[in-house]
Amino acid sequence: TEALMDGADWLPTLCGIAGVGEACARLHLDGVDQSGPLFRGEPTARTEVYFGQHDQGATVRKPYDAAVRDGEGWKLYQDSPGEPSCYSPPPDTLDRGCRPRPEAPVLPSGPKLYNVREDPEERREVSAQHP
């Protein structure tokens, strides 16, 4: 599935799978039940923007690094997207391993924009084309 899912969605999703979704809903959890998209091909329950940040962003990263991702595939980094050692392949390929990261260009600090549906390896920074 290409549905956005947040870590906060795991508990409501597990509640839904276990058949106690209504009881969990009364707990006012931050996440949403994603069992439909995961197991029944239903549309995602999460339509809002996904927000992520480096665990030590506020104390270690200057300027503070943060990222937002929407359901259309746009991903915006406030500062550094980090340096992962490998990437997952696009979902339409048979390759299920982790691809080694080629030498990455050094990008200036500041906002960076990618469309991860068109560019899942985040090789083409496109903020200049989408101001």
Side-chain angles (χ1 to χ4, degrees):
T1 180
E2 292 185 16
L4 291 179
M5 187 166 179
D6 187 87
D9 296 338
W10 280 110
L11 182 56
T13 300
L14 293 171
C15 288
I17 294 167
V20 294
E22 289 182 23
C24 284
R26 290 192 298 270
L27 298 174
H28 305 290
L29 301 170
D30 289 336
V32 293
D33 181 354
Q34 294 279 25
S35 59
L38 289 173
F39 299 109
R40 296 183 295 279
E42 297 172 1
T44 181
R46 182 171 287 286
T47 57
E48 72 272 14
V49 173
Y50 171 78
F51 174 79
Q53 67 188 29
H54 190 275
D55 290 340
Q56 298 171 331
T59 58
V60 176
R61 305 286 241 196
K62 303 290 180 198
Y64 185 68
D65 70 334
V68 291
R69 159 85 196 278
D70 72 13
E72 295 178 7
W74 292 105
K75 190 173 189 180
L76 176 68
Y77 291 101
Q78 169 60 34
D79 194 39
S80 172
E83 297 295 330
S85 60
C86 64
Y87 288 97
S88 299
D92 59 344
T93 65
L94 296 176
D95 180 10
R96 296 291 174 225
C98 191
R99 294 182 180 174
R101 178 181 170 87
E103 286 300 315
V106 176
L107 297 173
S109 64
K112 294 163 193 64
L113 180 67
Y114 301 89
N115 188 303
V116 295
R117 287 196 177 177
E118 296 173 8
D119 179 21
E121 295 178 353
E122 299 176 16
R123 293 177 187 236
R124 291 181 304 276
E125 197 283 318
V126 295
S127 62
Q129 293 88 353
H130 302 276

